[in-house]
Amino acid sequence: MVKGSLTMDQQVVSPETTTTRSVVEDPKITSGDVSVFYGAKQALFDVNLDIPRYAVTSLIGPSGCGKSTYLRCINRMNDTIPIARVTGEIKIDDQDIYDPDLDVVELRARVGMVFQKPNPFPKSIFENVAYGPRIHGLAKGKTDLEELVTTSLERAGLWDEVKDRINEPGTGLSGGQQQRLCIARAIATKPDIILMDEPCSALDPIATAKVEELMMELREKYTIVIVTHSMAQAQRVSQKTAFFHIGYMVEYGDTKQIFEDPQDKRTQDYIFGRFG
Amino acid sequence: MTDISQAQPSITHDWSSSTARRRVRRRYGADRRLQLYGLAAIGTAMALLGILFTSLIYAGYAAFTTTKVELGVFLDPEKIDKDNIRAANFRKIVRDAFFSYFPEVQNRTEKRNLSKILSSGADYIVRDYVVRNPDKIGELVKISVPVSDPFDQLYKGIIPREIDALSYDRIALYRQLESRGVLSVVDGVGVAKTTLFVDPAQVPEEGGVEAADFQRMIDEGFRSFFLAEPSRSFYEILSRNAAETLRNKVVADPSLVGKTIEINLPLSSNYDNLLQKGEAKIRNPRFRSDKEFAWFDSLIQRGLISTPFTWELFFNADSRFPELAGLAGALSGSFLALLVCFLLSFPIGIATATYLEEFAPKNRITDLIEVNINNLAAVPSVVFGLLGLALFLNTFGMPRSAPLVGGMVLALMTLPTIIVATRAALKSVPPSIREAALGVGASKHQVMLHHVLPLAMPGILTGTIIGLAQALGETAPLLLIGMNAFIPSVDNVGLTQPAMALPTQIFSWADSPERGFVSRTSAAILVLLGFLVLMNLLAVYLRRRFEKKW
Ligand SMILES: Nc1ncnc2c1ncn2[C@@H]1O[C@H](COP(=O)(O)OP(=O)(O)OP(=O)(O)O)[C@@H](O)[C@H]1O
Ligand SMILES: [Mg+2]
């Protein structure tokens, strides 16, 4: 055969097969047959995934396989794309988040999100963190708000670096600091889930290490879902890993198992670097 | 499959080949040419702009000063009734004060000529002064009043005392004679040596030589100089006395009848001047007599003439007399119209743009609306004027010439500019900011109000100010709704009061025949341009001020 092995493999392994090797007890987030369409194009096919609480779950897979798409289903960010349509069921703490009665704004406050590129508001560091609590009325009074901002920045590991310039623009920070500022902003609304879409892809190794350290700390209080292209990162920070492949969630299990003993041919190829 | 070893296509391009070199050279050439075109275009634009400004300033600077004469006016309590100041005959009071400078002028005609030095508005200036300071009645006050337009122009050196008496083609005729060498000065009189036939046919039987038509003979003889000249314009080259000179000669020597003689005929005064002094001048017809110059010169000598800055240009209303005409009415009219325009177009424009950009579903109807808005920006302004005339004035019966209607019409014009600018500004806000705001749970309108609009504000303001600047200079729609009314007072300023606007004021001044309105027009244009520059600077400032990096 002259062509690459991809076609062959797909012929051998049916795309619909999903290998889930560990049952998650008392999951924080459950998804049942989640499919996403961008116009006529289907980007996600019947994804079933249970994400445990107080743990870091990594989503890995080749580019364009639908990791971000899935992540954005969890806080309904896909709603903001006019052509996007989501079917299936996602529950957080047994509550259907696509229930028409559910308030999306509140959901997004409860499910914080950190984006690939640091995107602080062009406002002061304080305002960046205070904005969420303020619009949701999470703090009573000025001192309360100041305390909330301080603890959020502390928890994001940024406080010591910015405490002297809390009123300077957030955009004046370094990339790594900005990303931690975004994390502080996300946790300031007191969420219980934090979604991170390739949070370290724009950062250098030192900043990456800091953010990873932070994730491991935050794990104790939050449920964290992270999309990453770095398998080393997934192994370092996450307890569970899900492998996506052209719209399908192919394999899901404990991180250790996925990386050391992948069952699916596609997972093996990806993890051992045979394609992608 | 082809044999690979045979046709071995080189995989690296030969960058040193002559064709490759030529391509590089051509690329550099094209780069340079493009740069040159750009420089040439900028150079041309700057040069034209320079010419425009130079000519405007050259023509307009004179209007920024007014020639004034200081009067010592005795505010006679007998002539001015404290309780009814306006009823007093200020015309007489001002004239008497002015005539006191020239006690020797008694003749009525001369007095009338003398009073022409003062502006016709001098009475009102003194009257307004007394109305403002009624306690001065009974005192001798010094008041500077403008001189009339010709003297204002004269003092500023815009018009001369004397102008050329002869037109260009008259001088060409003179040069023709000169080149033939027939002109000379004899006994202090310029003469033209003319050869003519003393025609017996022109001598009547009755009356003899004395009654002969010598003028006819001269015409015949003189015409030989200008055979190619069809016009009879050359007759006035010679003095009216030329025929007399010829008659005297022939009467003295009747034997000349029937002979061709050569005779020196005197030139008329203009040509005589041209021959003897090198130029022919006459008094500028805008002045009635040389005495006026003498009077004016004596005023200058006595230090009574001054040229203070023309605050009247900004504080006076319009006037038929250029030395009194000001822009106060136009400025207030333009200001009110722009205010209405801003208050209408800014919120409506932003609301429309925001809705279209952020909230409207993308479908046929919104596409249609979008196309229409973009086309609206290209509609000639006169059409908006017609719309305003038909809709606001005729259908709704709103007042004519009112800044309210002007502002509404201008708002129609400005709206598309603001909408397009706002949409561009909204589009340029990075999506990451919206995502960030949505991510912390901001609702759609919170994202708009707290993040997107503030970030888009510099762009929106720039667009708005540029739209308003356009509106400020717009003439046609305002003419159509009658905002070019002649309003010689600024007592009644209001949204529904008849008013002028800056461009329509310029338009009507440019249309006025008085010489003084030429510089007034240029000055008004400079004022308008000054406001435009200020508005654009404001736009730049606001952009710098509100621009935030992300
Ligand atoms: N807004 C959109 N409109 C249309 N198609 C989209 C949109 N966003 C994503 N897609 C498509 O959906 C598929 C999945 O995209 P997604 O962004 O989820 O991939 P990803 O796994 O996050 O890739 P990457 O690792 O490169 O970020 C892709 O084929 C992409 O082209
Ligand atoms: Mg992605």
Side-chain angles (χ1 to χ4, degrees):
Chain A
M1 276 281 192
V2 199
K3 285 270 180 113
S5 56
L6 193 75
T7 336
M8 178 194 72
D9 290 354
Q10 280 180 335
Q11 283 163 354
V12 174
V13 184
S14 146
E16 286 79 20
T17 48
T18 300
T19 319
T20 305
R21 293 188 302 181
S22 57
V23 179
V24 176
E25 304 254 334
D26 182 26
K28 178 75 179 172
I29 307 164
T30 59
S31 13
D33 292 336
V34 172
S35 296
V36 178
F37 303 81
Y38 290 114
K41 181 175 173 269
Q42 191 166 1
L44 268 190
F45 298 85
D46 301 325
V47 172
N48 293 292
L49 196 59
D50 289 353
I51 293 170
R53 63 184 77 227
Y54 305 131
V56 179
T57 303
S58 302
L59 311 181
I60 60 170
S63 189
C65 64
K67 307 180 294 290
S68 300
T69 302
Y70 175 71
L71 197 70
R72 291 161 61 91
C73 288
I74 301 175
N75 67 346
R76 289 183 56 179
M77 275 302 259
N78 283 330
D79 290 12
T80 61
I81 301 170
I83 55 167
R85 189 162 55 85
V86 180
T87 63
E89 178 187 70
I90 296 183
K91 283 184 175 169
I92 296 178
D93 290 333
D94 274 338
Q95 189 194 10
D96 184 2
I97 61 163
Y98 281 87
D99 185 337
D101 291 339
L102 181 119
D103 181 28
V104 190
V105 164
E106 195 190 299
L107 170 76
R108 293 203 189 118
R110 281 173 47 207
V111 182
M113 187 157 195
V114 177
F115 298 84
Q116 174 172 2
K117 223 176 124 232
N119 56 355
F121 301 130
K123 300 177 190 253
S124 73
I125 295 170
F126 181 87
E127 278 304 315
N128 260 284
V129 184
Y131 180 70
R134 191 176 285 144
I135 59 172
H136 297 297
L138 296 186
K140 296 164 205 69
K142 200 160 170 276
T143 42
D144 210 14
L145 185 64
E146 274 165 13
E147 203 182 299
L148 180 55
V149 169
T150 313
T151 46
S152 301
L153 283 169
E154 271 168 354
R155 217 174 281 169
L158 192 61
W159 176 247
D160 290 333
E161 287 159 72
V162 301
K163 61 171 177 248
D164 302 327
R165 45 173 178 157
I166 198 87
N167 289 317
E168 282 172 34
T171 40
L173 296 171
S174 78
Q177 289 172 328
Q178 285 187 16
Q179 196 60 300
R180 278 179 285 151
L181 177 62
C182 292
I183 294 173
R185 180 176 67 191
I187 59 187
T189 54
K190 302 185 178 167
D192 27 44
I193 299 170
I194 302 175
L195 310 174
M196 299 187 179
D197 196 346
E198 302 178 43
C200 299
S201 64
L203 305 185
D204 71 275
I206 297 170
T208 303
K210 282 201 170 166
V211 173
E212 282 180 10
E213 206 178 302
L214 179 61
M215 278 189 259
M216 289 187 240
E217 275 175 44
L218 293 175
R219 189 184 91 203
E220 288 164 19
K221 294 210 169 61
Y222 303 92
T223 301
I224 299 176
V225 185
I226 167 177
V227 170
T228 180
H229 277 285
S230 158
M231 284 181 263
Q233 184 175 58
Q235 279 172 288
R236 281 195 299 270
V237 300
S238 67
Q239 287 71 52
K240 296 272 180 188
T241 297
F243 173 68
F244 281 70
H245 185 68
I246 27 182
Y248 294 93
M249 208 280 286
V250 172
E251 191 165 354
Y252 177 52
D254 291 344
T255 301
K256 210 163 164 1
Q257 283 180 357
I258 295 279
F259 280 97
E260 284 171 3
D261 180 26
Q263 297 295 298
D264 195 284
K265 177 86 173 53
R266 294 163 291 182
T267 321
Q268 289 165 7
D269 286 345
Y270 183 72
I271 285 174
F272 300 129
R274 266 177 261 160
F275 65 71
Chain B
M1 276 256 158
T2 46
D3 194 347
I4 300 171
S5 60
Q6 253 182 10
Q8 185 109 63
S10 80
I11 45 163
T12 56
H13 180 66
D14 182 9
W15 290 103
S16 58
S17 74
S18 65
T19 35
R21 284 281 164 79
R22 199 152 357 103
R23 191 195 306 280
V24 170
R25 264 202 307 282
R26 238 183 293 142
R27 174 156 50 78
Y28 277 118
D31 284 355
R32 256 197 309 277
R33 261 199 313 283
L34 214 60
Q35 213 169 354
L36 272 179
Y37 294 152
L39 281 177
I42 291 177
T44 320
M46 295 307 283
L48 290 176
L49 210 64
I51 292 171
L52 172 74
F53 271 93
T54 324
S55 71
L56 275 178
I57 291 171
Y58 182 76
Y61 81 98
F64 286 104
T65 58
T66 312
T67 313
K68 292 192 172 177
V69 58
E70 187 183 293
L71 295 183
V73 187
F74 176 55
L75 304 177
D76 192 344
E78 288 183 5
K79 291 182 188 155
I80 304 171
D81 179 3
K82 240 186 166 54
D83 302 321
N84 193 2
I85 292 170
R86 284 173 187 274
N89 185 353
F90 281 99
R91 190 174 152 83
K92 181 152 171 35
I93 294 170
V94 169
R95 284 184 174 210
D96 287 346
F98 187 51
F99 291 157
S100 71
Y101 288 141
F102 303 97
E104 72 280 7
V105 179
Q106 292 299 337
N107 176 317
R108 273 191 55 169
T109 332
E110 286 202 337
K111 273 190 165 177
R112 198 179 330 121
N113 283 346
L114 180 57
S115 71
K116 292 266 161 75
I117 292 181
L118 287 185
S119 161
S120 317
D123 326 345
Y124 307 117
I125 290 170
V126 175
R127 183 193 68 193
D128 292 346
Y129 175 85
V130 180
V131 168
R132 262 181 285 123
N133 309 292
D135 48 311
K136 296 270 186 190
I137 294 176
E139 290 177 34
L140 177 73
V141 293
K142 288 195 184 313
I143 303 177
S144 285
V145 297
V147 298
S148 64
D149 182 45
F151 289 94
D152 182 41
Q153 305 288 316
L154 179 73
Y155 191 69
K156 289 172 181 165
I158 296 170
I159 58 171
R161 296 181 180 216
E162 292 182 319
I163 58 170
D164 285 328
L166 296 173
S167 66
Y168 179 79
D169 43 330
R170 296 290 156 86
I171 292 178
L173 291 181
Y174 168 82
R175 297 271 171 247
Q176 226 169 311
L177 287 180
E178 197 180 35
S179 64
R180 290 177 178 229
V182 297
L183 299 179
S184 58
V185 182
V186 177
D187 299 334
V189 179
V191 294
K193 190 190 279 174
T194 316
T195 308
L196 53 81
F197 176 55
V198 185
D199 193 351
Q202 299 298 342
V203 181
E205 291 177 7
E206 258 171 75
V209 180
E210 302 232 358
D213 190 348
F214 291 104
Q215 187 64 51
R216 186 90 174 257
M217 295 176 211
I218 291 173
D219 289 350
E220 292 295 322
F222 211 71
R223 182 173 290 157
S224 65
F225 286 129
F226 305 108
L227 285 175
E229 196 73 37
S231 87
R232 296 166 65 85
S233 58
F234 52 82
Y235 288 134
E236 65 189 36
I237 291 175
L238 291 181
S239 155
R240 296 234 176 82
N241 297 329
E244 195 61 33
T245 312
L246 180 59
R247 185 214 309 273
N248 290 346
K249 183 160 180 151
V250 177
V251 169
D253 183 3
S255 67
L256 293 177
V257 175
K259 287 186 185 159
T260 298
I261 61 167
E262 219 169 49
I263 182 172
N264 280 331
L265 295 173
L267 295 173
S268 67
S269 67
N270 284 336
Y271 289 87
D272 187 41
N273 283 339
L274 200 55
L275 177 62
Q276 298 201 41
K277 299 188 194 141
E279 58 174 13
K281 296 273 186 189
I282 54 165
R283 191 181 59 243
N284 191 332
R286 293 163 65 85
F287 301 97
R288 276 160 221 87
S289 70
D290 288 335
K291 269 198 182 148
E292 292 181 8
F293 295 136
W295 292 328
F296 193 61
D297 285 341
S298 109
L299 287 174
I300 296 174
Q301 256 162 28
R302 283 185 260 177
L304 295 168
I305 301 290
S306 60
T307 51
F309 185 79
T310 316
W311 290 111
E312 289 89 337
L313 186 63
F314 299 98
F315 297 121
N316 272 15
D318 198 9
S319 165
R320 274 179 300 121
F321 308 109
E323 67 274 13
L324 297 175
L327 289 171
L331 286 173
S332 60
S334 267
F335 174 77
L336 288 176
L338 275 194
L339 189 72
V340 172
C341 171
F342 173 78
L343 290 179
L344 284 176
S345 58
F346 189 67
I348 298 179
I350 291 187
T352 311
T354 312
Y355 178 75
L356 284 178
E357 193 59 38
E358 308 282 335
F359 298 99
K362 299 274 169 283
N363 57 28
R364 281 253 171 97
I365 298 172
T366 47
D367 279 353
L368 196 71
I369 291 175
E370 199 176 323
V371 168
N372 274 313
I373 286 173
N374 291 338
N375 283 343
L376 222 54
V379 169
S381 56
V382 69
V383 175
F384 288 108
L386 282 171
L387 177 71
L389 178 64
L391 196 67
F392 299 146
L393 296 190
N394 293 348
T395 310
F396 297 160
M398 298 176 87
R400 277 185 71 84
S401 311
L404 178 66
V405 183
M408 287 165 75
V409 171
L410 293 178
L412 290 177
M413 286 187 44
T414 318
L415 258 179
T417 314
I418 295 184
I419 293 174
V420 170
T422 305
R423 295 191 66 177
L426 290 177
K427 271 203 191 89
S428 73
V429 173
S432 64
I433 297 294
R434 295 167 206 265
E435 284 196 328
L438 286 170
V440 296
S443 69
K444 214 166 174 183
H445 84 267
Q446 282 172 331
V447 174
M448 256 340 268
L449 289 180
H450 297 163
H451 300 281
V452 178
L453 271 182
L455 286 176
M457 217 17 108
I460 298 175
L461 287 178
T462 310
T464 306
I465 291 175
I466 286 173
L468 287 180
Q470 265 173 9
L472 176 64
E474 206 51 72
T475 323
L478 297 185
L479 289 180
L480 278 171
I481 59 144
M483 265 189 86
N484 55 343
F486 175 72
I487 294 143
S489 112
V490 277
D491 298 339
N492 276 324
V493 172
L495 282 177
T496 52
Q497 299 296 329
M500 295 287 272
L502 266 177
T504 48
Q505 182 77 76
I506 290 168
F507 185 76
S508 81
W509 280 357
D511 234 14
S512 304
E514 286 86 352
R515 193 74 174 72
F517 276 122
V518 175
S519 55
R520 276 289 201 267
T521 306
S522 296
I525 292 173
L526 282 176
V527 170
L528 177 62
L529 287 179
F531 275 103
L532 293 181
V533 168
L534 275 183
M535 289 176 82
N536 280 312
L537 283 181
L538 184 69
V540 171
Y541 170 77
L542 286 175
R543 194 165 48 219
R544 293 267 162 81
R545 176 85 177 60
F546 289 113
E547 202 154 59
K548 295 222 174 98
K549 308 266 174 300
W550 49 77

